[in-house]
Amino acid sequence: MSSMRPENQSSVSEFLLLGLPIRPGHRGVVFTLFLGMYLITVLGNLLIILLIRLDSRLHTPMYFFLSHLAFSDISLSSVTVPKMLTNMQTQQQSIPYVGCISQLYFFILFGSLDNFLLAVMAYDRYVAICHPLHYTTIMRDGLCVLLVAGSWIISCGSALLHTLLLVRLSFCADNVITHFFCDLTVLLKLSCSDISLNELVIFTEGGMLLFLPLAVVLGSYIHIGTIILKAPSTKRLLKAFSTCGSHLSVVSLYYGTLAAVYLLSSSWDSKDIIASVMYTVVTPMLNPFIYSLRNRDIKQAMFVNKVKEVNMSMRSHFLLGFFIILYS
């Protein structure tokens, strides 16, 4: 545990974000790359939300959860990427103290929300595979709303707890953040106050909120695998894969990339930055592709809405031509 450090304390009005460790000559390429990924993230996830809202066939628990996950992915990327791109373009690295604290709050909020929504979706897939006859009874509208509301409330509470514990600290004259956003662990390193309580909360509350959803995901898929192996058949395997394939791919991407980064990287700073890029930029960008390319319902909804759009366009052109002929 850290104790009070004797460095000179000062009232910090702003922090300096060093951003990604890139060479000046590569800044334009990196800016274009991250701008493209951010736009794909926003547009792709917005498309998922719109399709779920417009197509009545997608008004099911799984897609209800997916729409919230898509919104959370947009928000998570929007908390960090626009500021990073702005700093990269203007080469002004400062962020106000209030802006930094706000960014931290929303980053923890939507990061935690992603984690809980993946666990809720895993439970939904467990019920669909292991209790198909009782699926509509178990996954009723009230329970779905309760699970999502609970995920939001717990995530908001966790983010508020860590934020309130941070704002009580004093900061030293060194206000340089070696990251592209206001990360909690980096901010704690800059503090001149006793951070033992903050560290205790991170290890207990933060660890519990990280591993509890992971345990739900693992438990759900272990039960699914057990049910399938009791009476293995090609038809049953294909049905399970079509039901769980998209979610399992997203879960593997979310947790697998984090595990790989922290196990294979040699520098703790680089681990944190690479991991942050993975779950704030890469994973939210890939989620719409996974759910659209591997999901028959989403592809059908995209096709149906495209056909409707073409039909409306043909009707409008026909009416326009009719009125031109009529009044000419």
Side-chain angles (χ1 to χ4, degrees), residues 205-218:
E205 185 265 356
M208 183 176 63
L209 294 187
L210 173 65
F211 289 106
L212 181 61
L214 179 59
V216 172
V217 172
L218 292 176

Side-chain angles (χ1 to χ4, degrees), residues 22-36 85 88-89 91:
I22 56 176
R23 297 178 181 178
H26 298 162
R27 186 175 287 114
V29 176
V30 175
F31 175 84
T32 304
L33 177 64
F34 276 88
L35 177 61
L85 293 174
M88 200 179 297
Q89 186 69 11
Q91 299 186 24

Side-chain angles (χ1 to χ4, degrees), residues 48-59:
I48 295 291
I49 295 172
L50 288 174
L51 286 175
I52 292 172
R53 186 163 184 84
L54 293 175
D55 198 312
S56 58
R57 294 173 302 174
L58 301 181
H59 294 172

Side-chain angles (χ1 to χ4, degrees), residues 162-178:
H162 289 288
T163 304
L164 291 177
L165 289 176
L166 181 70
V167 296
R168 70 184 181 85
L169 303 178
S170 299
F171 290 91
C172 304
D174 182 13
N175 65 340
V176 178
I177 297 176
T178 56

Side-chain angles (χ1 to χ4, degrees), residues 1 162 185 195-211:
M1 296 295 177
H162 289 288
T185 56
I195 61 172
S196 57
L197 179 59
N198 300 73
E199 291 177 334
L200 178 63
V201 172
I202 289 174
F203 284 118
T204 54
E205 185 265 356
M208 183 176 63
L209 294 187
L210 173 65
F211 289 106

